[in-house]
Amino acid sequence: MKQMHLAAHFPGVNSTTVWADPRSRSQIDFTSFEHLARTAERGKFDFFFLAEGLRLREHNGRIHDLDVVGRPESLTVLNALAAVTERLGLAATVNATFNEPYELARRLATLDHLSAGRAAWNVVTSSDAFTGENFRRGGYLDRADRYTRAAEFVSTARELWDSWAPDGTSRPFAHSGRHFEISGEFTVPRSPQGHPVVIQAGDSDEGREFAASTADVIFTRHGTLEAGRAFYADVKARLAKYGRQPDDLRIMPGVTVVVGDTDADAEQDAAEIRRLQVSPQNAILALEQVWGRDLSSYDPDGPLPAVDPDPGSSIVQGRVRVADPLGVAAKWRALSESKGLSIRETVIESTVRQSFIGSPETVAADLEKFVATDAADGFILVPHLTPGGLDDFVDRVVPLLQERGAFRSEYTGSTLRSHLGLAEPVWKG
Amino acid sequence: MSATRPLHLAAEIGGPPRYDAASHVALARLAEGGALDFVTLGDSFARPGPDALAVLARVAPATSRIGLVPTVTTTHTEPFHISSAVATLDWVSGGRAGWQADVSTTEAEARLFGRRPAAPASALWQEAGEAADAGARLWDSWEDDAEVRDAATGRFIDRDKLHYVDFEGSTFSVRGPAIVPRPPQGRPVTVIDGTSGPAREPAARYADVVHVRATSPEQAASLRDDLRRGAAAHGRDPDSLRVLVALTVDLGDAETAPEPGLESGPQLAGRGTYFRGGPVDLAELITQWYQGGAADGFHLTPITPERDLERIVNGTVALLQHRSLFRTFYPGGTLREHLGLGRPANRYAPARTPEGTS
């Protein structure tokens, strides 16, 4: 039977994190990270995943204050977590636009050494001059160059990781490309995994191609079985032209799970969580992001605005823009009118929907079905609570997955590559 | 000077490059057993070795009191990233982080990045000072009570307590605010080797701890006076600066006698002043220099870490403790507390009364 892979995302700066819940603890204290990571390791998860922020988000020209704001720097947290975990993979999201290959390859190789082979890098890019205002590089890099720089960044990092032979001898490197012209000697020997695991997040055509050519894991967002299968088939089919096998890339959608004693209990909890995620203030904000206008005078429990969106607006900064505001607004309006929904109810219906809801048996069966029918190779769980958001899943669902033979009962190797069933890369000296 | 001024001791745990966690953890725990203020871990892109900040982050949960001070170079690294990483080291260690700012002067280091040519030390140290300044502003860019979690208004933070730093340096600019909330120490401890001319000015202006290399107590005292005057000229209280004499120590196999010919004191060698002798001789030197007012303490670089650090802790430090010159336990939890440095007030926060307004 095809076994699934599981990873844990630390809930942070996003609208799914319910910080107002009385069980919610610090988003920054190390004890929170330690609790979630230890829970994931207790559940025999493949890896623990941290997102990144390089500029605080803004809305209407002011710092966004409704969701969790602030987080520690990923690689430093993961090095500390390496001290309190033994097998769990440790994945850091790090931007390829506002970093340089030599320094980042070195930091990743160091994490791989200090964790005895558990490091992973989630490669993200930015073309955002807004974010660039915190960096020397600024915002000059245009959208078209994002992935060419990222691809050259990853291949350069791999050249550096290969510049030490497995026998421990170092050789000078020289890389000359469009984005990087660098040479010298790398300071870190080949690390326990050879190359830290490379993860790619993103769903655009360029993102899929980049993942097919380069990544070990792709982090996606596909909630339905059909969408998952279509994505899976598309991305796996792209591997061959890069000389890669379907098993060389793991497809892991980010998912949310609500577990209850019964399916009905879980549905009820899920509805309550959605209401907590979409506060009245958040409902207006979500609407403003589509409408591109200040809608602060509207009642969240009242009807949608009669005015049309401003499609040219840049009301939001530092978060993904709504691609087709007029289309989205039309859809929301239709939904609101047909069901008689308020602004807040419309936003709840339109923007958040947990991926897997039900009793432990239901959730285990649904997860297994996704993997067995090639809609995913596994999942990155995004809990809504810090730091206890994985407790229920690990205590109640994981044992069922293990009984079904759908998930490991013990780690069989010590490195993240071994958890993921990925071969150690061949040394290209 | 005040006779009650406490002695500060720190040790470098680098040496031949090692990439495993266990050896670094063992050395940091050894130093912690001697109640040392902090350990440093040197770093450079110019020679083999792991990323020092990463190593000390790995060490943090395996220790409980000792300060952790990695070298972080500012020449080829983004100041925004530096401030985030050092602040995070402070979070994961519960307020025990510092960083030793250094520069990368060589063409070989510049070629590793390919972004800019090598530059003179004076320009690079000016930039390092600006990186320290920008970092401190970013650490202040969140007021300590910015996170409000006010369910009634739906606000996680009070945005009025977050501040853009709008820093304009000679080679970089930063908008801010920080991504990482203000760290436990307010500002992690900034360390600079202030021996060389170009580093002296940023050390006096921005450092909390300054290392100096000196071959005589008179030379150390003169450097210390110079740094304190420089600090005062920048509007700082000179007593907010700790000046430590940097010594490279080889405690070898000698139990007491120093190397013949070196009885009169240490010799200048490389990045530190070289001392060879026994643990008791080192304790004597520390006692004499310290009591003579040459320094606030010492930063010791053991030439063979495993051997010499053990001798420093169980020989030299034990003797200094026996003489009541050095603490036997940590009365505080943070590195600033070990160093007797206050938690800095936030430059952006208006003075607020308990009622909330000034």
Side-chain angles (χ1 to χ4, degrees):
Chain A
M1 172 186 260
K2 183 179 167 190
Q3 284 207 332
M4 71 177 66
H5 300 278
L6 291 174
H9 186 291
F10 185 87
V13 182
N14 61 59
S15 56
T16 57
T17 307
V18 181
W19 53 259
D21 188 294
R23 291 165 292 175
S24 171
R25 298 282 175 262
S26 173
Q27 294 289 142
I28 186 96
D29 281 344
F30 183 64
T31 52
S32 291
F33 293 89
E34 184 174 359
H35 179 98
L36 202 88
R38 283 187 193 266
T39 307
E41 188 164 76
R42 182 159 59 81
K44 316 296 177 196
F45 278 36
D46 292 65
F47 61 92
F48 179 87
F49 183 96
L50 287 177
E52 176 189 54
L54 298 175
R55 177 93 194 253
L56 297 183
R57 295 175 296 159
E58 293 183 4
H59 183 76
N60 260 337
R62 301 195 300 168
I63 291 168
H64 176 60
D65 60 0
L66 300 178
D67 303 329
V68 169
V69 180
R71 63 175 117 218
E73 187 266 318
S74 298
L75 278 166
T76 304
V77 172
L78 295 178
N79 277 298
L81 286 175
V84 296
T85 54
E86 291 177 358
R87 299 290 187 95
L88 185 68
L90 302 165
T93 302
V94 188
N95 201 290
T97 306
F98 300 114
N99 284 282
E100 299 302 315
Y102 187 84
E103 186 191 17
L104 183 55
R106 183 172 185 263
R107 297 183 74 204
L108 289 162
T110 299
L111 176 62
D112 209 39
H113 279 285
L114 295 174
S115 65
R118 300 188 276 141
W121 171 29
N122 177 39
V123 186
V124 294
T125 63
S126 173
S127 62
D128 192 338
F130 171 76
T131 305
E133 283 179 358
N134 283 330
F135 301 97
R136 297 180 207 258
R137 185 166 287 286
Y140 79 89
L141 205 64
D142 67 33
R143 191 162 285 272
D145 272 344
R146 287 197 320 177
Y147 279 109
T148 63
R149 179 180 161 97
E152 191 180 330
F153 198 122
V154 175
S155 67
T156 306
R158 286 176 172 153
E159 287 172 41
L160 297 171
W161 293 329
D162 275 348
S163 71
W164 287 66
D167 70 5
T169 54
S170 161
R171 304 202 312 198
F173 69 88
H175 173 94
S176 179
R178 181 165 162 223
H179 294 276
F180 308 109
E181 178 92 36
I182 62 174
S183 61
E185 287 192 59
F186 195 50
T187 72
V188 183
R190 192 168 173 82
S191 69
Q193 291 188 105
H195 301 166
V197 168
V198 170
I199 304 172
Q200 137 77 9
D203 191 30
S204 66
D205 192 59
E206 297 109 310
R208 293 180 190 207
E209 211 60 33
F210 177 56
S213 65
T214 299
D216 300 305
V217 175
I218 182 164
F219 175 22
T220 70
R221 294 260 178 206
H222 290 97
T224 70
L225 198 63
E226 296 68 33
R229 281 182 187 152
F231 178 83
Y232 191 101
D234 175 73
V235 172
K236 295 268 178 173
R238 294 175 190 236
L239 289 159
K241 67 172 167 265
Y242 301 103
R244 305 181 73 201
Q245 304 296 316
D247 267 358
D248 292 345
L249 178 68
R250 299 279 170 259
I251 296 179
M252 298 178 70
V255 298
T256 51
V257 176
V258 182
V259 184
D261 290 342
T262 65
D263 289 353
D265 286 349
E267 287 290 354
Q268 201 178 332
D269 288 350
E272 178 58 24
I273 291 165
R274 293 202 294 275
R275 277 189 68 78
L276 292 169
Q277 288 168 329
V278 184
S279 65
Q281 296 86 353
N282 258 320
I284 295 297
L285 180 111
L287 207 66
E288 289 181 339
Q289 286 170 350
V290 176
W291 259 254
R293 296 172 185 275
D294 180 353
L295 302 174
S296 52
S297 62
Y298 282 76
D299 176 3
D301 295 323
L304 262 56
V307 294
D308 278 332
D310 172 2
S313 145
S314 59
I315 196 167
V316 288
Q317 299 257 251
R319 61 194 296 166
V320 177
R321 310 253 165 97
V322 175
D324 171 21
L326 290 169
V328 171
K331 218 180 336 180
W332 285 18
R333 189 166 279 139
L335 176 73
S336 167
E337 284 167 7
S338 70
K339 292 194 177 177
L341 301 181
S342 68
I343 288 174
R344 189 178 180 198
E345 290 163 339
T346 304
V347 172
I348 289 171
E349 284 296 301
S350 308
T351 61
V352 286
R353 175 72 61 192
Q354 294 89 348
S355 320
F356 296 93
I357 304 170
S359 67
E361 292 75 15
T362 300
V363 168
D366 288 349
L367 290 169
E368 189 185 349
K369 187 175 174 194
F370 263 66
V371 173
T373 61
D374 284 348
D377 293 315
F379 307 93
I380 298 179
L381 272 62
V382 187
H384 70 275
L385 277 184
T386 307
L390 270 186
D391 295 357
D392 270 356
F393 184 86
V394 165
D395 292 337
R396 305 179 72 183
V397 180
V398 166
L400 296 178
L401 292 171
Q402 290 167 333
E403 275 171 31
R404 290 164 166 267
F407 186 61
R408 71 174 70 87
S409 295
E410 290 299 333
Y411 290 109
T412 53
S414 61
T415 68
L416 175 54
R417 280 186 185 279
S418 70
H419 306 337
L420 289 166
L422 298 168
E424 184 173 315
V426 177
W427 178 65
K428 293 176 190 153
Chain B
M1 112 202 36
S2 160
T4 57
R5 181 175 58 93
L7 171 66
H8 300 286
L9 292 175
E12 164 71 22
I13 61 167
R18 283 157 302 173
Y19 300 89
D20 66 306
S23 60
H24 293 101
V25 167
L27 288 169
R29 283 182 173 162
L30 182 56
E32 189 170 68
L36 268 56
D37 290 69
F38 60 91
V39 290
T40 59
L41 184 58
D43 199 359
S44 162
F45 295 126
R47 50 161 179 69
D51 179 78
L53 191 141
V55 171
L56 293 186
R58 173 64 181 74
V59 165
T63 52
S64 58
R65 281 288 185 270
I66 194 151
L68 303 168
V69 181
T71 292
V72 179
T73 55
T74 61
T75 305
H76 299 294
T77 301
E78 294 283 355
F80 190 85
H81 288 326
I82 293 173
S83 76
S84 297
V86 175
T88 302
L89 182 63
D90 208 42
W91 279 106
V92 302
S93 65
R96 297 186 280 134
W99 67 301
Q100 176 157 351
D102 202 354
V103 299
S104 307
T105 56
T106 67
E107 226 13 283
E109 287 162 294
R111 279 196 298 271
L112 300 171
F113 289 81
R115 288 177 79 175
R116 52 200 296 223
S122 55
L124 297 181
W125 273 111
Q126 184 194 331
E127 182 184 61
E130 289 171 357
D133 189 8
R137 288 169 192 274
L138 285 164
W139 295 331
D140 281 353
S141 69
W142 288 56
E143 295 183 35
D144 289 313
D145 54 355
E147 185 181 310
V148 292
R149 296 197 187 217
D150 181 4
T153 59
R155 294 176 312 145
F156 182 79
I157 49 134
D158 178 352
R159 63 160 72 95
D160 293 336
K161 293 182 176 178
L162 265 52
H163 304 274
Y164 297 100
V165 302
D166 285 326
F167 185 90
E168 290 285 341
S170 52
T171 62
F172 66 92
S173 59
V174 172
R175 176 91 168 107
I179 292 296
V180 187
R182 194 165 196 245
Q185 293 185 99
R187 295 176 211 149
V189 170
T190 296
V191 181
I192 292 178
D193 184 331
T195 310
S196 74
R200 193 89 45 90
E201 151 83 11
R205 190 164 179 182
Y206 299 114
D208 302 296
V209 175
V210 183
H211 293 163
V212 296
R213 287 166 277 151
T215 50
S216 69
E218 293 75 24
Q219 189 190 5
S222 158
L223 280 166
R224 180 170 181 269
D225 289 344
D226 192 32
L227 286 158
R228 289 171 62 90
R229 272 195 302 274
H234 287 294
R236 300 181 63 191
D237 174 0
D239 287 334
S240 67
L241 198 64
R242 300 284 171 269
V243 179
L244 309 186
V245 170
L247 288 182
T248 299
V249 301
D250 176 0
L251 300 183
D253 295 322
E255 285 304 325
T256 55
E259 181 81 343
L262 296 184
E263 291 92 340
S264 57
Q267 292 187 320
L268 201 58
R271 298 210 64 170
T273 309
Y274 184 73
F275 173 86
R276 187 168 181 197
V280 176
D281 306 303
L282 181 58
E284 287 298 334
L285 181 138
I286 289 173
T287 303
Q288 284 172 21
W289 286 37
Y290 169 68
Q291 288 185 333
D296 301 302
F298 293 81
H299 175 251
L300 306 172
T301 298
I303 200 148
T304 306
E306 278 78 6
R307 180 196 66 187
D308 292 327
L309 188 59
E310 192 275 331
R311 286 167 179 254
I312 288 169
V313 168
N314 294 323
T316 306
V317 171
L319 187 54
L320 293 169
Q321 289 169 332
H322 180 69
R323 292 176 181 174
S324 300
L325 277 173
F326 190 64
R327 71 168 85 86
T328 54
F329 66 97
Y330 292 101
T334 71
L335 176 53
R336 281 189 176 276
E337 285 166 351
H338 306 340
L339 289 164
L341 297 171
R343 190 174 189 275
N346 191 321
R347 81 192 66 202
Y348 297 107
R352 290 191 175 92
T353 65
E355 286 73 42
T357 51
S358 56

